[in-house]
Amino acid sequence: MSFRVTFLGTGGAVPTTERAPSALVVNREGDRLLFDCGEGTQRQMMRFGTGFSVSHVFLTHLHGDHVLGLPGLVQTWDFNDRTEPLSIHCPPNTRTHVKSLLRAGGHDPDFPIRINEVSPGNVAFRAEEYEVRVFRTNHRTRAQGYALIEDDRPGKFNREKAEEELGIPPGPAYGRLHEGEAVELDDGRVIHPEQVVGVPRPGRRFVYTGDTRPVDETVEIAENADLLVHDATFASEYADRARETAHSTAREAARIADRAGAKRLALVHISSRYAGDPSPIEREAQSIFGDAFVPDDGTRIEIPYPDA
């Protein structure tokens, strides 16, 4: 089952020719979820071929470099005769500001838009096989991060044991057992799932912080994450500036990933100081966490299952 992350904007507050402001798309088996929507996001979506059929937008906070692309994107959807509803998830007490932002362009879309205020510790969106949870971050305004966490999958089905040891004939019974249902055989025996199905297997976990200082809540929710996308605006030479502006350095992001036991760390919100050469950010993080990298705009990451 596919799980792809496309980085649309990896730059900081000031866009450059190399890096657009914050935005990324997650495509999980056809479900397209947009996280933040900086200036020019719709053009980046066209440029990098993510498709426009986004059903949910998750805003970490309402600073302009994370939301100014939203009015134009909504207007384009309306011009394209969109009828499907859109859900915009945002921090508490920001609904009015989001509504004002959407109206700023003087356009009232014909498709329904639901603005969902959601607090850290809650679930913003629940789908059939995954959910998007909200966690606390630390920035200069109301801010939060999001984690897409898949449900556990059934354990592996032991076909050899089922067929040879228990004498279960191949057929629908195998599927029922794998889905957790006991079955009765023709000879009257009842076979329970735990006799032929292994322990549940973990799903995948994607964590996106938005702008933040390093916080313990990220460590907790990013435990064993397949991909952690973390603010790394500065290298440590600007550590004081990072504290003043409530951002993280590459070293701080790497320490968070290391503490969480994440598998990979993507460093984003790169200051325009490093637009032409982000290697200082990458080297600093890799000195602590080897699987850290700075994605370019347009970078695509496929997230496999942990046991693949």
Side-chain angles (χ1 to χ4, degrees):
M1 186 172 288
S2 63
F3 193 139
R4 179 185 305 116
V5 177
T6 303
F7 294 88
L8 301 177
T10 58
V14 179
T16 70
T17 56
E18 294 86 5
R19 298 185 184 277
S22 298
L24 64 81
V25 167
V26 170
N27 185 336
R28 186 199 175 275
E29 197 63 18
D31 288 355
R32 292 182 178 89
L33 312 176
L34 177 63
F35 292 83
D36 282 334
C37 189
E39 178 185 348
T41 291
Q42 62 174 319
R43 186 175 183 277
Q44 297 291 81
M45 295 168 79
M46 298 175 199
R47 182 182 178 192
F48 300 123
T50 61
F52 266 61
S53 57
V54 169
S55 53
H56 293 264
V57 178
F58 300 88
L59 301 177
T60 58
H61 63 292
L62 266 59
H63 282 165
D65 56 318
H66 292 254
V67 300
L68 287 180
L70 196 55
L73 179 56
V74 167
Q75 180 173 284
T76 295
W77 274 325
D78 198 43
F79 287 166
N80 289 338
D81 298 323
R82 175 177 178 138
T83 58
E84 298 81 9
L86 174 71
S87 292
I88 300 174
H89 308 273
C90 57
N93 302 314
T94 62
R95 180 187 287 112
T96 299
H97 299 297
V98 174
K99 285 183 178 179
S100 298
L101 176 67
L102 295 177
R103 291 171 180 161
H107 190 81
D108 189 16
D110 288 331
F111 62 91
I113 297 178
R114 174 175 177 259
I115 301 174
N116 174 38
E117 291 183 354
V118 60
S119 303
N122 293 304
V123 173
F125 170 58
R126 174 69 203 176
E128 185 176 350
E129 297 178 327
Y130 66 90
E131 63 186 19
V132 179
R133 300 180 193 170
V134 186
F135 63 98
R136 188 187 74 85
T137 57
N138 178 7
H139 196 43
R140 293 176 296 163
T141 185
R142 297 184 187 93
Q144 56 199 29
Y146 298 94
L148 193 162
I149 302 172
E150 290 184 331
D151 299 341
D152 286 347
R153 295 169 295 143
K156 292 185 177 179
F157 185 81
N158 191 332
R159 185 185 179 97
E160 181 178 353
K161 181 178 181 181
E163 192 168 352
E164 298 181 8
E165 293 186 27
L166 297 175
I168 307 171
Y174 284 13
R176 290 164 57 194
L177 285 163
H178 201 200
E179 292 173 0
E181 180 183 346
V183 299
E184 183 176 355
L185 303 182
D186 291 342
D187 60 10
R189 287 182 298 143
V190 176
I191 307 297
H192 297 278
E194 57 268 25
Q195 294 178 257
V196 290
V197 179
V199 297
R201 296 171 292 170
R204 293 164 290 191
R205 182 174 293 230
F206 161 82
V207 178
Y208 175 64
T209 67
D211 295 358
T212 185
R213 292 291 295 150
V215 293
D216 289 340
E217 285 83 351
T218 303
V219 175
E220 293 167 7
I221 203 158
E223 182 178 3
N224 300 320
D226 298 277
L227 178 63
L228 167 61
V229 181
H230 200 289
D231 177 353
T233 306
F234 303 102
S236 290
E237 60 184 323
Y238 292 105
D240 289 343
R241 180 64 176 162
R243 284 189 290 271
E244 291 169 5
T245 57
H247 288 291
S248 296
T249 66
R251 178 171 288 120
E252 289 170 331
R255 286 173 176 157
I256 291 291
D258 187 57
R259 289 173 59 196
K263 296 179 178 66
R264 300 189 75 184
L265 168 65
L267 306 157
V268 296
H269 204 265
I270 306 302
S271 168
S272 57
R273 295 171 176 82
Y274 310 99
D277 180 19
S279 60
I281 297 283
E282 196 165 71
R283 284 197 304 268
E284 180 174 294
Q286 289 176 349
S287 69
I288 295 171
F289 187 82
D291 289 319
F293 66 99
V294 176
D296 296 322
D297 288 8
T299 295
R300 293 181 179 87
I301 301 295
E302 297 285 346
I303 302 179
Y305 282 113
D307 56 341

